[in-house]
Amino acid sequence: MRAGRYAAIDIGTVTCRMLVADVDASGLHELDREYAITNLGEGVDATGVLDARAMERVAQAVAGFQRVLQRFRTSEHPNVEMHAIATSAARDARNAGEFAQLLAAQGVALEVVPGQREAALSFGGVSGDFAGEDLMVVDVGGGSTEVVLGRAGSAPRSSRSFDIGCRRVTEKFFSADPPSDCEVARARAWVRSGMRSFFDEAAASGFAPSRMVAVAGTATSVVSVHEGMEVYDAARVHKTAVSREVLDAVCDRLRGCTLAERQRVAGLDPGRAPVIVAGLVILQEVMDMAGVSAFTVSESDILHGIILEAAR
């Protein structure tokens, strides 16, 4: 490992996040996390372009991250190596180059990563907490969902990035408030049709993961909503085991709420309220296709993977 201070920025379809961490021989040590719901992918599935207002929201969030980062540039660490990636929304957009130029003007070099690389980075970030275990890592994002199989600490055995995410599903299928049973059923069928073959192939390969690990905002929200967290506590969420019964109870509760009601639910970021039902539906379908009855939530995710890769 190349010791030093690092920052990783992950610009997703719904959220924009930053992790600052020190890396040394003993591993990665978190210093700060920053988070903003910026909805970069708003409308991208229908239009194929990033909206100028959405790009500006991200630019403002990143500018705020850079101000925070200044606090971590010290005499001992005058340079903080920063890596910024963008995922599904930027991958899908014809004007991703314009977005990259906007951030370059702020001194941020943006890498738009393909789905397979996104999956590998997520797996690398998760692996450190489950050394030696055979895992299925699931990252439900706004525009895509990544599923990765492999032994923690080794290269992934197989992975797939699906153009199935909570914002994409919401925009494709949900117009009623709250979503109707018919809309949810159509969404479930679409998710299954898009992902089923991967799970069939995985089962045929004989690889049997001992644990499903779920990362990102949909999975973490299940815990915070279930526990009614008025203030989000990452330490409480990390490595929490979530049964299918708990997931179903949270999904049923939020499915029955209007958007305005969901925005007032303790433990749910109001900015995530428009897309949370779709995210929960995706998680349920993944569990069904994988044949698992529980998953473990991890706060170690793609941000950790970015930093660990940079430090190698």
Side-chain angles (χ1 to χ4, degrees):
M1 282 291 182
R2 189 164 52 89
R5 182 160 292 177
Y6 296 84
I9 294 176
D10 169 35
I11 301 170
T13 301
V14 174
T15 61
C16 183
R17 302 179 302 141
M18 181 177 74
L19 173 67
V20 185
D22 284 340
V23 175
D24 59 25
S26 64
L28 183 152
H29 310 280
E30 290 191 21
L31 300 174
D32 185 71
R33 291 172 180 251
E34 299 294 326
Y35 160 92
I37 289 186
T38 49
N39 286 314
L40 177 65
E42 194 167 28
V44 169
D45 189 63
T47 66
V49 296
L50 299 170
D51 182 82
R53 291 165 298 182
M55 290 191 286
E56 184 57 35
R57 287 196 297 268
V58 175
Q60 290 177 7
V62 170
F65 293 172
Q66 289 177 295
R67 289 191 293 271
V68 169
L69 197 56
Q70 280 299 116
R71 302 202 309 263
F72 295 95
R73 292 188 172 100
T74 64
S75 56
E76 186 180 358
H77 297 282
N79 299 308
V80 179
E81 186 175 320
M82 184 171 70
H83 296 267
I85 70 162
T87 55
S88 178
R91 280 198 298 267
D92 292 351
R94 296 191 299 273
N95 60 340
E98 177 187 343
F99 179 52
Q101 289 175 355
L102 179 65
L103 294 187
Q106 297 181 192
V108 176
L110 181 68
E111 179 187 4
V112 179
V113 298
Q116 291 295 100
R117 176 157 155 73
E118 181 181 359
L121 287 169
S122 290
F123 189 78
V126 167
S127 289
D129 287 318
F130 304 97
E133 292 191 38
D134 290 332
L135 304 177
M136 176 176 68
V137 175
V138 180
D139 183 347
V140 178
S144 65
T145 294
E146 284 68 47
V147 182
V148 195
L149 302 174
R151 175 158 293 178
S154 303
R157 178 187 175 102
S158 62
S159 65
R160 191 78 56 85
S161 179
F162 303 91
D163 286 336
I164 295 169
C166 58
R167 174 158 289 283
R168 198 185 299 268
V169 167
T170 299
E171 292 184 359
K172 275 183 175 294
F173 295 102
F174 296 168
S175 57
D177 186 21
S180 69
D181 290 346
C182 180
E183 289 173 339
V184 172
R186 289 175 57 229
R188 289 190 188 281
W190 186 74
V191 171
R192 284 195 300 272
S193 67
M195 302 179 80
R196 177 82 260 179
S197 62
F198 175 82
F199 289 95
D200 289 344
E201 292 164 11
S205 76
F207 181 75
S210 59
R211 187 192 300 266
M212 172 177 161
V213 181
V215 300
T218 294
T220 59
S221 294
V222 174
V223 179
S224 57
V225 169
H226 178 63
E227 297 194 8
M229 292 185 186
E230 295 290 349
V231 177
Y232 186 79
D233 185 343
R236 282 173 61 193
V237 171
H238 184 52
K239 299 185 80 169
T240 295
V242 176
S243 69
R244 180 56 187 267
E245 290 76 19
V246 167
L247 174 61
D248 288 350
V250 172
C251 186
D252 289 346
R253 176 186 174 191
L254 297 181
R255 266 190 61 189
C257 295
T258 64
L259 174 58
E261 290 166 341
R262 286 197 299 277
Q263 289 171 329
R264 297 192 296 271
V265 169
L268 182 63
D269 186 323
R272 190 172 292 280
V275 298
I276 187 62
V277 173
L280 298 173
V281 165
I282 295 168
L283 260 184
Q284 288 175 321
E285 292 304 311
V286 167
M287 292 183 76
D288 285 347
M289 288 182 282
V292 301
S293 59
F295 62 87
T296 302
V297 181
S298 176
E299 283 280 2
S300 299
D301 56 21
I302 193 169
L303 290 169
H304 296 72
I306 294 166
I307 289 177
L308 290 171
E309 182 186 75
R312 287 195 186 99

